[in-house]
Amino acid sequence: MNKSKKIFVVVGSFLALFALVGAVIGGLFAAGILGSEQDDYAGSGQGEVLFTISEGEYGDAIASNLVESGVTKSFDAFYSLLLEQPEIVFIPGVYKLKKEMSAQSALDALQDPANRVELKATIPEGTTLKNVYKILSEELGIPLADFESAGATPSNFNVPAEASNLEGFLFPATYTFSPGVTADTVLHTLVDKAIATLDEVGVPVEERWDVIRLASIIQRESGPIEGDAYKVSRVFHNRLDIGEVLGSDVTTCYGAGLTGIACLDITQAALDDTTNPYNTRVLPGLPIGPISNPGALAIDAAYRPADGPWLFFVTVNLTTGETVFSETSAEHDAAVEQYLQWRRDNPNAVK
């Protein structure tokens, strides 16, 4: 074979090889293995899809789930973007996306906090268990019966054995949940926060029951003046130390089914009712259970009362929360008269 024929054969072989490689690459693109423009949707999509990123899911799982959810067209179209931007971080949660989005549009949407779907519920300090369930049901869209059922067995939660329900352990705060959350998960979240707060305050496990019972009373008895909670706590500690009844109207009202301002006009008969197990006017010691769900300040006050000799207190101005603390009965009687005079001077202040 002459030299020119050899060159032709070599060139021809290379051309054949390139043709073969081209065919293979084309086949890979057609098969979606290497990806192509045809493997991606165009535009920002249509309709609506709620897409969930679970805890511990990474880019490959997210890319696959997007395809399965009908959001993106192919795994490669989305995953190739992640390879180009390894710094991207995904936050677990539920996101509002669309059907048939381009990979870039889907990625942008998942990085935009505005697309994250969240359910929020705010529990004010001092809310009773019954009203906590009501708030959670209304704000999270979960049937009230689900909360009542989930909380019916307190032994399923990390609460003291003495607890007959979850009163006192549903920590007041603002919570954020993802759609689809269950009542059981919600209640565990609130209880876990309460237990964590007790631990942060330094309350020993064996003292949780007493501290949360006292904190629940302090929460309802204290006004807007922060330091007063610690003084109210001292009054109760002092009375317990000398074997005196707590004499708290709010515990008695709780047991009598009176809430809010209705407690201001509780009858003498109710105050004398010995069948009310929460009546600390006549029964010694702490009530049989918490009467509300206290916040961190009330819990801290219950465990760390202020120093002082007081045995009585009364709020003399319901608008400002001004409270008078007294050491003797005579001083307290004078303060009570001050409160009654304020009520006479402000008949429309409390309705």
Side-chain angles (χ1 to χ4, degrees):
M1 181 181 293
N2 61 36
K3 187 175 183 181
S4 62
K5 287 185 177 181
K6 289 181 180 179
I7 293 174
F8 176 79
V9 170
V10 172
V11 171
S13 298
F14 273 117
L15 290 175
L17 177 60
F18 283 133
L20 177 60
V21 171
V24 171
I25 292 176
L28 291 175
F29 271 107
I33 297 175
L34 294 184
S36 70
E37 291 183 0
Q38 285 71 40
D39 293 327
D40 199 2
Y41 293 121
S44 58
Q46 57 190 342
E48 182 177 299
V49 175
L50 290 180
F51 181 77
T52 300
I53 297 178
S54 300
E55 194 74 40
E57 282 189 336
Y58 297 101
D60 55 345
I62 295 171
S64 295
N65 292 340
L66 284 168
V67 176
E68 292 179 8
S69 300
V71 177
T72 54
K73 191 173 184 180
S74 71
F75 174 94
D76 291 334
F78 187 83
Y79 195 68
S80 62
L81 294 177
L82 302 185
L83 295 179
E84 296 169 4
Q85 305 172 71
E87 72 281 1
I88 286 179
V89 175
F90 293 102
I91 299 176
V94 177
Y95 293 82
K96 187 180 296 184
L97 303 181
K98 296 181 179 180
K99 291 279 189 179
E100 300 182 359
M101 302 179 75
S102 70
Q104 187 64 60
S105 293
L107 180 58
D108 292 343
L110 290 173
Q111 294 295 296
D112 185 352
N115 291 320
R116 191 175 179 187
V117 182
E118 296 178 327
L119 301 174
K120 289 189 176 182
T122 298
I123 308 301
E125 294 176 342
T127 306
T128 61
L129 178 145
K130 179 180 178 180
N131 287 327
V132 169
Y133 286 173
K134 182 179 178 181
I135 291 171
L136 291 174
S137 175
E138 291 175 350
E139 297 192 10
L140 301 180
I142 299 173
L144 179 61
D146 287 8
F147 288 106
E148 295 171 339
S149 176
T153 309
S155 59
N156 291 338
F157 301 81
N158 188 25
V159 298
E162 297 91 337
S164 60
N165 53 46
L166 298 181
E167 186 78 272
F169 295 93
L170 299 175
F171 192 80
T174 295
Y175 295 90
T176 300
F177 300 100
S178 294
V181 67
T182 65
D184 185 72
T185 296
V186 171
L187 294 183
H188 269 94
T189 300
L190 271 64
V191 172
D192 289 348
K193 179 62 176 174
I195 298 301
T197 302
L198 287 162
D199 290 342
E200 289 167 8
V201 169
V203 179
V205 173
E206 64 272 16
E207 294 183 35
R208 285 176 178 172
W209 182 238
D210 285 347
V211 168
I212 211 70
R213 284 191 290 168
L214 182 54
S216 74
I217 304 172
I218 295 169
Q219 185 69 69
R220 298 297 297 273
E221 290 276 21
S222 301
I225 302 173
E226 184 172 305
D228 281 358
Y230 294 86
K231 297 170 75 173
V232 168
S233 178
R234 172 48 63 192
V235 169
F236 290 138
H237 275 277
N238 286 345
R239 295 179 75 89
L240 289 170
D241 287 345
I242 64 174
E244 184 66 69
V245 294
L246 293 184
S248 171
D249 288 350
V250 296
T251 65
T252 307
C253 287
Y254 179 88
L258 300 174
T259 59
I261 61 174
C263 187
L264 294 175
D265 298 314
I266 187 171
T267 65
Q268 189 61 47
L271 293 174
D272 296 336
D273 182 8
T274 57
T275 65
N276 177 353
Y278 289 88
N279 189 347
T280 59
R281 281 274 188 163
V282 295
L283 301 178
L286 292 166
I288 63 171
I291 65 166
S292 74
N293 291 281
L297 177 66
I299 292 173
D300 190 60
Y303 190 59
R304 296 188 177 89
D307 291 328
W310 316 291
L311 290 173
F312 308 91
F313 68 89
V314 61
T315 300
V316 297
N317 187 316
L318 300 183
T319 300
T320 65
E322 179 187 355
T323 300
V324 174
F325 294 84
S326 306
E327 185 176 355
T328 68
S329 295
E331 292 171 347
H332 180 59
D333 289 343
V336 170
E337 179 54 38
Q338 187 179 345
Y339 159 70
L340 294 174
Q341 185 60 51
W342 183 89
R343 289 288 300 270
R344 289 190 289 268
D345 294 340
N346 301 271
N348 298 319
V350 179
K351 294 184 178 181

